[in-house]
Amino acid sequence: MMELKIQLVPTGEIILPPGRNGESHCHNCSKAVGSEGVRVMMESALTARDRVGVQDFVLLENHTSEAAFIENLRKRFKENLIYTYIGSVLVSVNPYKELEIYTKQHMERYRGVNFYEVSPHIYAVSDNAYRSMRTERRDQCILISGESGAGKTEASKKILQYYAVTCPASDKVQTIKDRLLQSNPVLEAFGNAKTLRNDNSSRFGKYMDIQFDFKGAPVGGHILNYLLEKSRVVHQNHGERNFHIFYQLIEGGEEDLLRRLGLEKNPQQYQYLVKGNCPKVSSINDRSDWKVVRKALTVIGFNDDDVEELLNIIASVLHLGNIQFGGEESGNAYITADTQIKYLARLLGVDGSILKEALVNKKIIAKGEELMSPLNLEQAASARDALSKAVYGRTFSWLVNKINISLAFKDEVYPTSKSASVIGLLDIYGFEVFQHNSFEQFCINYCNEKLQQLFIELTLKSEQEEYESEGITWEPVQYFNNKIICDLVEEKFKGIISILDEECLRPGDASDITFLEKLEDTLGGHAHFVTHKLADGKTRKAMGREEFRLLHYAGEVNYNVTGFLDKNNDLLFRNLKEVMCQSENKILTQCFQREELTDKKRPETAVTQFKNSLAKLMEILISKEPSYIRCIKPNDAKQAGRFDEVLIRHQVKYLGLMENLRVRRAGFAYRRRYETFLQRYKSLCPETWPNWQGRLADGVSTLVKHLGYKPEEYKLGRSKIFIRFPKTLFATEDALEVRKHSLATKLQASWKGYSQKSKYRKLRHSAILIQAWWRGILARRRAKLRRQAADTIRRFIKGFIYRHQPRCPENEYFLDYVRYSFLMNLCRNLPKTVLDKSWPPAPPALAEASEHLRNLCMQNMVWSYCKKISPEWKHQLEQKMVASEIFKDKKDNYPQSVPRLFVGTRLNGEDINPKVIQALGSERMKYGVPVTKYDRKGFRARPRQLLLTGNSAIIVEEAKMKQRIEYSVLRGVSVSSLSDGVFVLHVVCEDNKQKGDVILQSDHIIEALTKLAICADKINSININQSSIKFTTRQGKEGIIDFTSGSALLVAKAKNGHLSVTAPRLNSR
């Protein structure tokens, strides 16, 4: 059974998975359906607002409370929901850990979806800007701001990655995508550094244009950089580092490369890298970052010569920092060692002696004459540092230009046309307030004032345009207009910038103090400007005498004027410029052009350059549709899960978030298109549920009247409903949550009924199909069997008729069946033993084969039987075979001996006298049996023992060997055919040792004679007589033994002088 499921993704968004074929379960929700499922809109999370807060600060009930604002941030931060909206502005809190919300799956989830249909995410802002660019054909820009460590750089990376993955691609487009992505590590290496607040802090402002063709594919880009912190090259605060590239080169550079550059693998050897006392950082791997940068330079389009020239300049900056000056008695400075000069001359491609002279002398042109003025120690060090900053700063600008060339969009079809649409990314420093604020913070905060002014104007403008397009009366919004502060800074002739430039350019002894005095004189009465001199007693305690205070939109900031003039002038002595213009380094020849030497016009000051750049930036941003991302740092320790409320309140104030929220809430807090609002809440009104058939505006009007909205709580526009108070929306959402339970019960009941009925219909239909299919199979099987049976019977009958004919098609089946039947019968009735003589009768045609099979079977059984016989049993059978050969069917008592086993001997060792054994010596006795010997004359019976050896038969009387009969003189053995045990051993008469034939009688006659026949090899010499046996005595006379049958065995001398033997009759014969 199918189940209705929802899924809660890490962004807090609720997703309804699609059906098996990708269809939506909600057929009226086409606006909110994507390939991965139904996205339930942002309002879904409002029911969990007690736990995760609201996803849009505009929906805060107490929107003017900073505490409520921060508490909402805290709730979401604890649930790893780092993004929250203020209308269309995205607020991002740095989580300081990896979150699983930046996968390709998440990118697809936000692709092509309405801004408010999904939970807040940087991808939603990116996709909204991209779709607006495509549909409205208007350039877009995304402004990312926040203090160092808030995640601005990471945010810009996420946006670039989103466009790289989701935009259309081709081989050429892929190259541009790669270059856009790889420009980040290069700019980070040369423009980012480790600070106390951030291990990868951007020390410059960056605006990047991404150009898209008519298909929406990225085809080019352009980067503008602002206010690089060049002073970091020569000085870092404790715990901070110089720009990353220096450490990457030293740690990751190959030995050959470092040898050519004259560098060592130890940052502590270089004065520009030791001032912060922080050569290594645990979170930074300079070696691996070096590999990334080298690869990125190749992808962007740097050849080997470009890279070599660039690294020569980086190494030369380090060598410049190691130049040491000494002081003469006159106070003039001199260079203590020429080692660094030699490296610099080679790396920069300049004359070493001219460079050496330029570092300790200043060229002055007076009345057309050039004069050389020696420098003291302090001036020489300043000149060296100024050269280092100028070389690095200009090289950075060249690097940005080089990247821009590789990213430049070239329309091959229309080379002169501007066919590309643009999305701009502004990664700019946020409002900064430190314990010691100087020239850099003044410029940064001036920039933020201009951006805040633009932001408020554009926000109000977009609000007003939306109200007018919907036909709703625009109500003027009261807000703090910071134009007064911008004018205070930039107004011509009377602004701080003009006064600063005037002090830098005027003749006479100008200093930072005279600049401060000029400010007091000019701006003394301004409401947003105060100094120690102009302040009241309470304020003076919090200000230094060298400070002035500006009341910015975000709060009060004290600026220390020390160094303002030097940093604003940013001058490089003429003779040092001349040396750089003569450089053979191809990069430096582009950075220091010879036209500078002939140009009599004084170069613009740093603040004027920044002001002009900022004005151009404002023009760029005004020409585009803006989106905003405000980044917040949760703590200074860079720890995941830690929420520092004091620090966050500080940032909320300086980012102007509360002012932004107040402007956004001045009108209506919530607005949605009619179809979206009606689709979500139609179940709350019986008239609109389940579907509204009329005009959408009428449906929404009916719905809100049923909900009891008061006239002052909402307005109906042309295509949207506007709700003024969040509590009205919350009440509606809570009512929907209650309504969901009853709806869910009805839906479940309907769904279960529908699914069970569908399941039953499918099962019934399937059962009918299976039954029909199975019945068909059974019927076809039965028909096939009947056909086969009929064919078989037909062939059998025909074969029987032709059975006596030679094999032919008509009888071959029958004959085969007969053979098969015989063989199967034979298989079942084979003889089980050798003695089993049974054999099934064979048909005439198989008589010969049957006989062969019978012989083979018998041979096999005999062979099997013989394999199982032991040596002892084999010997027993061999003796039985000899006995059978001699006595079978010849002697009456033979059958009685067959089942009795022959023994090895009938006499044991103790039965034979030891003297006899001694007399035998080495001659081994093979068989012994007790016998009765009958004398030849009187036939007197005497007990004796018959011993058989290998050579002779010996007759023993107790301890005396009476007679030895050699087998060679044994002529034969005679025995009767009756059952008596009498036998006669016939010996050769000529043998004088013998006394004649020997008459013996034994109870084991068959066994004894068999043993004798085997030992003497006289098997054929045993004679079986019917009635009498003749024997010879010693004198050559003959005697006769008569044998008769009787009732009992009787041996006696007869009256005729013969030996009469009466043998008992046996039933065996």
Side-chain angles (χ1 to χ4, degrees):
M1 184 179 75
M2 213 168 186
E3 295 182 2
L4 199 61
K5 296 180 178 178
I6 64 171
Q7 177 187 356
L8 182 63
V9 297
T11 55
E13 177 186 354
I14 297 175
I15 292 180
L16 181 63
R20 291 182 180 178
N21 299 321
E23 74 277 3
S24 166
H25 299 297
C26 178
H27 301 289
N28 295 319
C29 300
S30 58
K31 293 283 183 181
V33 177
S35 60
E36 67 288 318
V38 179
R39 296 182 180 88
V40 184
M41 292 170 290
M42 271 180 55
E43 290 82 351
S44 302
L46 292 180
T47 55
R49 58 185 179 271
D50 291 337
R51 179 174 61 85
V52 300
V54 294
Q55 297 186 107
D56 192 335
F57 283 109
V58 172
L59 299 179
L60 277 177
E61 187 64 33
N62 190 5
H63 70 279
T64 58
S65 169
E66 189 178 77
F69 188 98
I70 293 174
E71 180 59 26
N72 191 66
L73 269 183
R74 183 203 304 275
K75 287 180 180 179
R76 298 183 62 74
F77 182 74
K78 286 187 176 180
E79 296 293 331
N80 288 328
L81 301 174
I82 63 172
Y83 295 118
T84 313
Y85 289 138
I86 305 177
S88 59
V89 177
L90 181 69
V91 178
S92 169
V93 183
N94 192 341
Y96 285 122
K97 63 180 178 181
E98 292 293 329
L99 297 178
E100 295 297 323
I101 58 173
Y102 302 108
T103 62
K104 190 173 181 180
Q105 180 185 1
H106 281 84
M107 293 182 185
E108 291 298 329
R109 183 172 293 140
Y110 284 86
R111 184 179 182 183
V113 180
N114 188 278
F115 191 73
Y116 290 108
E117 288 182 6
V118 283
S119 56
H121 201 289
I122 195 169
Y123 291 160
V125 176
S126 306
D127 187 76
N128 190 60
Y130 179 75
R131 285 189 296 109
S132 299
M133 176 199 71
R134 294 292 311 280
T135 56
E136 300 172 14
R137 305 302 296 172
R138 182 177 177 184
D139 291 347
Q140 304 288 314
C141 64
I142 301 175
L143 281 65
I144 308 170
S145 62
E147 73 171 58
S148 180
K152 301 187 300 297
T153 302
E154 285 300 314
S156 63
K157 288 181 185 177
K158 299 301 182 190
I159 294 172
L160 286 175
Q161 289 170 0
Y162 178 80
Y163 291 144
V165 171
T166 59
C167 294
S170 64
D171 291 343
K172 182 179 179 181
V173 169
Q174 190 59 46
T175 301
I176 294 297
K177 285 183 178 181
D178 292 340
R179 288 179 177 178
L180 282 170
L181 292 174
Q182 294 302 321
S183 66
N184 270 321
V186 173
L187 291 176
E188 285 181 12
F190 286 85
N192 289 24
K194 192 268 181 194
T195 65
L196 293 174
R197 296 188 173 190
N198 184 5
D199 290 346
N200 188 32
S201 176
S202 298
R203 307 318 300 161
F204 68 104
K206 180 179 70 173
Y207 176 79
M208 172 187 283
D209 270 337
I210 309 170
Q211 298 168 313
F212 297 84
D213 63 9
F214 69 96
K215 298 177 183 177
V219 292
H222 189 269
I223 298 171
L224 297 175
N225 64 296
Y226 301 96
L227 200 65
L228 176 70
E229 188 185 18
K230 293 184 291 185
S231 60
R232 182 167 293 272
V233 175
V234 299
H235 176 77
Q236 308 90 41
N237 295 325
H238 184 76
E240 297 189 348
R241 298 207 311 175
N242 210 322
F243 293 103
H244 293 323
I245 187 62
F246 295 111
Y247 304 94
Q248 292 172 359
L249 174 59
I250 290 174
E251 291 291 335
E254 300 80 4
E255 294 292 341
D256 291 342
L257 174 62
L258 295 179
R259 192 180 305 111
R260 290 200 307 271
L261 299 177
L263 300 178
E264 300 179 22
K265 274 188 174 292
N266 183 5
Q268 302 284 7
Q269 298 295 324
Y270 303 97
Q271 294 300 313
Y272 283 166
L273 304 184
V274 299
K275 295 184 179 181
N277 195 23
C278 185
K280 291 189 177 181
V281 183
S282 59
S283 63
I284 299 176
N285 189 332
D286 294 312
R287 190 184 301 273
S288 63
D289 290 346
W290 167 254
K291 295 178 181 178
V292 173
V293 171
R294 286 302 303 268
K295 180 182 176 183
L297 288 171
T298 303
V299 172
I300 292 172
F302 282 67
N303 56 39
D304 292 341
D305 291 340
D306 291 335
V307 174
E308 184 176 355
E309 300 281 3
L310 182 61
L311 296 181
N312 285 347
I313 294 173
I314 300 303
S316 68
V317 172
L318 294 178
H319 288 301
L320 270 172
N322 279 6
I323 292 179
Q324 300 296 320
F325 297 99
E328 299 175 348
E329 292 181 1
S330 60
N332 297 338
Y334 67 92
I335 296 175
T336 58
D338 292 340
T339 307
Q340 306 300 330
I341 297 296
K342 293 178 181 178
Y343 283 127
L344 287 167
R346 179 169 59 83
L347 295 172
L348 297 178
V350 298
D351 188 313
S353 59
I354 297 177
L355 174 62
K356 183 177 179 180
E357 183 181 356
L359 286 170
V360 294
N361 292 282
K362 176 174 68 172
K363 180 180 286 189
I364 300 174
I365 300 178
K367 298 181 180 180
E369 295 185 11
E370 293 184 355
L371 301 175
M372 299 300 291
S373 173
L375 303 176
N376 59 31
L377 276 174
E378 183 179 351
Q379 291 172 334
S382 297
R384 176 200 62 196
D385 291 345
L387 177 60
S388 299
K389 290 189 290 184
V391 167
Y392 192 86
R394 297 192 185 198
T395 301
F396 184 79
S397 298
W398 173 88
L399 180 66
V400 173
N401 290 332
K402 179 72 175 178
I403 293 174
N404 286 336
I405 292 171
S406 72
L407 296 177
F409 169 59
K410 304 176 185 65
D411 193 332
E412 297 176 357
V413 180
Y414 304 103
T416 59
S417 69
K418 180 188 177 302
S419 59
S421 299
V422 169
I423 295 179
L425 291 180
L426 179 62
D427 176 2
I428 201 80
Y429 10 66
F431 201 89
E432 290 189 352
V433 183
F434 300 140
Q435 196 168 4
H436 177 82
N437 301 292
S438 186
F439 178 78
E440 290 83 4
Q441 282 68 47
F442 172 76
C443 293
I444 288 171
N445 292 341
Y446 163 53
C447 173
N448 276 272
E449 285 287 356
K450 295 291 288 181
L451 289 173
Q452 177 70 6
Q453 183 184 27
L454 177 69
F455 171 66
I456 295 296
E457 289 177 359
L458 293 179
T459 300
L460 290 175
K461 181 181 177 184
S462 64
E463 285 281 292
Q464 186 173 359
E465 287 177 352
E466 184 175 17
Y467 279 48
E468 290 174 355
S469 66
E470 291 294 324
I472 295 177
T473 304
W474 170 253
E475 301 172 4
V477 177
Q478 296 298 322
Y479 68 96
F480 172 66
N481 189 343
N482 67 336
K483 183 177 185 300
I484 186 172
I485 302 175
C486 295
D487 291 343
L488 172 64
V489 174
E490 65 184 7
E491 190 176 3
K492 205 169 185 179
F493 305 121
K494 293 191 295 183
I496 296 174
I497 292 177
S498 296
I499 296 170
L500 177 60
D501 283 348
E502 184 179 339
E503 277 299 295
C504 290
L505 300 178
R506 75 175 178 83
D509 191 12
S511 67
D512 297 323
I513 299 300
T514 60
F515 163 61
L516 182 60
E517 292 172 351
K518 188 76 173 284
L519 287 178
E520 291 172 340
D521 294 340
T522 308
L523 305 173
H526 201 287
H528 293 267
F529 175 84
V530 66
T531 64
H532 186 276
K533 178 180 177 181
L534 301 174
D536 55 27
K538 184 178 179 181
T539 305
R540 285 181 179 180
K541 295 179 181 179
M543 292 185 66
R545 294 183 180 276
E546 297 178 346
E547 291 181 343
F548 67 90
R549 175 180 291 179
L550 294 183
L551 274 66
H552 290 282
Y553 77 93
E556 301 171 346
V557 183
N558 294 345
Y559 298 99
N560 192 306
V561 296
T562 303
F564 259 61
L565 266 62
D566 289 340
K567 292 177 180 178
N568 189 40
N569 277 322
D570 194 24
L571 294 177
L572 185 65
F573 291 148
R574 181 180 181 84
N575 49 341
L576 287 175
K577 278 188 182 179
E578 291 175 351
V579 174
M580 291 298 103
C581 289
Q582 295 170 3
S583 171
E584 295 177 0
N585 186 295
K586 296 178 181 178
I587 296 175
L588 290 180
T589 56
Q590 299 176 51
C591 295
F592 293 90
Q593 298 182 356
R594 298 182 184 275
E595 289 76 7
E596 290 185 42
L597 301 177
T598 58
D599 190 359
K600 302 296 183 181
K601 185 179 178 181
R602 183 183 176 93
E604 290 182 337
T605 61
V607 72
T608 300
Q609 292 178 26
F610 183 68
K611 175 185 172 183
N612 295 337
S613 298
L614 195 56
K616 291 179 182 178
L617 176 63
M618 293 300 114
E619 291 177 7
I620 293 172
L621 297 180
I622 288 174
S623 69
K624 294 176 170 57
E625 188 75 28
S627 300
Y628 302 93
I629 299 175
R630 298 290 190 250
C631 299
I632 292 178
K633 180 168 66 173
N635 61 79
D636 280 326
K638 305 164 193 170
Q639 292 181 0
R642 181 178 168 187
F643 192 89
D644 187 338
E645 187 172 331
V646 174
L647 178 64
I648 289 175
R649 181 178 287 107
H650 175 89
Q651 294 173 81
V652 167
K653 180 179 180 182
Y654 293 149
L655 286 172
L657 298 183
M658 294 303 298
E659 180 72 9
N660 177 9
L661 176 58
R662 198 180 66 78
V663 169
R664 185 65 174 77
R665 274 293 301 271
F668 294 89
Y670 174 88
R671 63 210 67 182
R672 283 292 184 274
R673 298 189 66 82
Y674 286 148
E675 57 266 30
T676 303
F677 185 84
L678 189 60
Q679 179 61 45
R680 179 161 184 80
Y681 300 112
K682 63 182 180 180
S683 61
L684 297 177
C685 175
E687 297 179 43
T688 58
W689 176 258
N691 290 302
W692 174 261
Q693 303 298 334
R695 291 174 59 246
L696 292 174
D698 295 339
V700 173
S701 177
T702 302
L703 176 59
V704 297
K705 286 179 182 177
H706 178 80
L707 293 174
Y709 283 15
K710 297 177 181 178
E712 65 271 15
E713 291 180 340
Y714 75 98
K715 292 285 186 183
L716 296 180
R718 292 189 177 94
S719 62
K720 293 180 182 179
I721 178 174
F722 291 73
I723 297 177
R724 188 178 298 276
F725 306 115
K727 63 180 181 181
T728 307
L729 177 64
F730 293 161
T732 306
E733 193 63 33
D734 292 340
L736 178 62
E737 188 65 20
V738 174
R739 174 66 172 154
K740 281 179 181 177
H741 294 291
S742 61
L743 288 177
T745 304
K746 291 181 181 179
L747 287 173
Q748 286 175 347
S750 301
W751 176 256
K752 288 177 181 176
Y754 170 76
S755 62
Q756 290 298 326
K757 289 175 185 176
S758 300
K759 184 179 180 181
Y760 169 74
R761 291 192 191 100
K762 287 181 181 179
L763 289 174
R764 185 172 180 276
H765 180 66
S766 301
I768 293 172
L769 288 178
I770 292 171
Q771 288 172 352
W773 172 76
W774 182 245
R775 288 193 191 103
I777 286 179
L778 292 179
R780 284 189 289 274
R781 285 180 182 175
R782 285 195 293 270
K784 185 178 179 181
L785 288 174
R786 284 195 295 270
R787 283 196 300 271
Q788 289 177 348
D791 291 343
T792 301
I793 293 170
R794 224 178 267 116
R795 292 170 67 189
F796 194 86
I797 293 172
K798 186 175 286 189
F800 181 79
I801 295 171
Y802 289 95
R803 66 185 182 278
H804 298 302
Q805 300 294 329
R807 186 178 182 86
C808 61
E810 286 77 11
N811 65 4
E812 61 180 359
Y813 176 78
F814 180 80
L815 295 179
D816 289 343
Y817 176 76
V818 169
R819 290 191 182 94
Y820 173 77
S821 299
F822 168 71
L823 292 174
M824 293 303 296
N825 183 41
L826 180 61
C827 178
R828 290 189 292 268
N829 298 287
L830 283 173
K832 301 296 187 293
T833 65
V834 178
L835 299 178
D836 185 1
K837 304 301 180 183
S838 63
W839 191 260
L846 299 177
E848 184 179 356
S850 175
E851 192 61 31
H852 282 304
L853 289 173
R854 184 172 187 173
N855 292 336
L856 287 173
C857 180
M858 185 57 67
Q859 289 175 10
N860 184 57
M861 286 192 296
V862 170
W863 179 77
S864 299
Y865 180 79
C866 291
K867 278 185 65 178
K868 298 175 184 176
I869 296 175
S870 64
E872 295 80 7
W873 187 247
K874 181 180 180 183
H875 183 61
Q876 183 74 223
L877 291 179
E878 287 174 348
Q879 294 179 30
K880 289 289 185 179
M881 285 295 294
V882 173
S884 174
E885 186 179 345
I886 298 172
F887 299 108
K888 186 178 181 183
D889 298 328
K890 297 178 182 177
K891 189 165 177 65
D892 288 352
N893 59 351
Y894 169 72
Q896 281 73 28
S897 70
V898 171
R900 297 177 189 147
L901 296 178
F902 291 168
V903 298
T905 180
R906 295 288 176 177
L907 296 175
N908 295 326
E910 59 269 15
D911 296 332
I912 304 172
N913 195 291
K915 292 182 179 180
V916 175
I917 295 175
Q918 185 177 2
L920 288 175
S922 61
E923 197 172 2
R924 188 173 67 87
M925 183 187 74
K926 292 186 175 182
Y927 180 74
V929 63
V931 296
T932 302
K933 179 177 178 296
Y934 293 94
D935 292 342
R936 298 173 188 83
K937 292 182 179 181
F939 300 115
R940 184 179 178 184
R942 298 179 188 276
R944 297 286 187 270
Q945 293 177 339
L946 176 63
L947 305 181
L948 303 180
T949 67
N951 299 321
S952 60
I954 303 171
I955 298 172
V956 177
E957 179 184 0
E958 295 182 356
K960 185 178 180 182
M961 296 175 60
K962 295 294 287 182
Q963 187 177 355
R964 177 189 288 271
I965 302 173
E966 300 290 341
Y967 293 146
S968 59
V969 298
L970 180 64
R971 291 188 296 109
V973 180
S974 294
V975 65
S976 75
S977 61
L978 301 179
S979 61
D980 61 277
V982 177
F983 61 94
V984 178
L985 300 180
H986 301 284
V987 296
V988 178
C989 296
E990 290 77 13
D991 189 355
N992 296 325
K993 296 180 182 179
Q994 305 299 333
K995 300 177 182 179
D997 296 340
V998 180
I999 303 170
L1000 301 174
Q1001 187 261 330
S1002 172
D1003 293 336
H1004 307 284
I1005 187 171
I1006 301 299
E1007 178 182 283
L1009 293 183
T1010 299
K1011 298 278 188 180
L1012 177 61
I1014 293 173
C1015 291
D1017 194 17
K1018 300 290 186 179
I1019 297 174
N1020 296 323
S1021 298
I1022 296 178
N1023 302 309
I1024 301 175
N1025 300 292
Q1026 295 293 329
S1027 57
S1028 63
I1029 298 175
K1030 292 181 180 182
F1031 62 91
T1032 306
T1033 63
R1034 186 172 187 181
Q1035 291 82 11
K1037 297 180 180 181
E1038 288 186 354
I1040 298 174
I1041 304 173
D1042 295 324
F1043 294 92
T1044 58
S1045 296
S1047 60
L1049 178 63
L1050 179 62
V1051 180
K1053 184 176 181 182
K1055 293 179 181 181
N1056 59 3
H1058 296 179
L1059 178 63
S1060 174
V1061 178
T1062 302
R1065 297 184 182 89
L1066 299 177
N1067 295 327
S1068 60
R1069 298 185 70 175

